[in-house]
Amino acid sequence: EVQLVESGGGLVQAGGSLRLSCAASGFTFGDYAIGWFRQAPGKARRGVACIHSGTRRTNYADSVRGRFAISSDNAKNTVSLQMNSLSPDDTAVYFCAAVRASEDCTVRSTFYYDYWGQGTQVTVSS
């Protein structure tokens, strides 16, 4: 059974940092792309960053490029999202998602991903 469990969310002041983790199980980690998405109240779920665990190729949404960094620890089957210079606009529930992929990943569509975690809340105060 595929499982994705997010952790690391919380409350932080604007300008601060948080590190989210996505612990994966139930599949061959290196054959999968893992993406981070976020959903603010009343808004659509949007891609933030993704990584292919085998090739380590990454993609980022323009809104977070240069502030967020995604990484994969294949020994621990974990993908992390380091978030720096946070602003209130980053407030959302953050989800990780997974899909079996050959070498790349995308943040452009939620439909690309087959498996989803339950999400973790990130709140940035002004």
Side-chain angles (χ1 to χ4, degrees), residues 38 46-48 60-68 87 89-90:
R38 66 186 181 186
R46 295 194 179 280
V48 174
Y60 293 90
D62 289 344
S63 59
V64 306
R65 188 174 287 112
R67 299 189 298 124
F68 291 11
S87 77
D89 289 342
D90 296 313

Side-chain angles (χ1 to χ4, degrees), residues 3 13 29 35 38 63-64 68 73 91-92 100 102 105 107-108 115 119 121-122:
Q3 283 194 322
Q13 289 188 331
F29 193 69
R38 66 186 181 186
S63 59
V64 306
F68 291 11
D73 184 339
T91 295
R100 184 179 174 92
S102 58
C105 67
V107 295
R108 295 184 178 182
Y115 305 102
Q121 176 70 47
V122 171

Side-chain angles (χ1 to χ4, degrees), residues 8-19:
L11 174 64
V12 64
Q13 289 188 331
S17 299
L18 277 177
R19 186 176 181 88

Side-chain angles (χ1 to χ4, degrees), residues 51-82:
I51 186 168
H52 189 283
S53 296
T55 65
R56 305 301 177 97
R57 291 183 183 177
T58 60
N59 280 298
Y60 293 90
D62 289 344
S63 59
V64 306
R65 188 174 287 112
R67 299 189 298 124
F68 291 11
I70 191 169
S71 60
S72 178
D73 184 339
N74 288 20
K76 296 181 179 180
N77 284 10
T78 299
V79 169
S80 297
L81 184 68
Q82 178 66 41

Side-chain angles (χ1 to χ4, degrees), residues 2 26-34 51-54 98-101 115:
V2 173
F27 58 90
T28 304
F29 193 69
D31 292 341
Y32 277 66
I34 307 294
I51 186 168
H52 189 283
S53 296
V99 63
R100 184 179 174 92
Y115 305 102

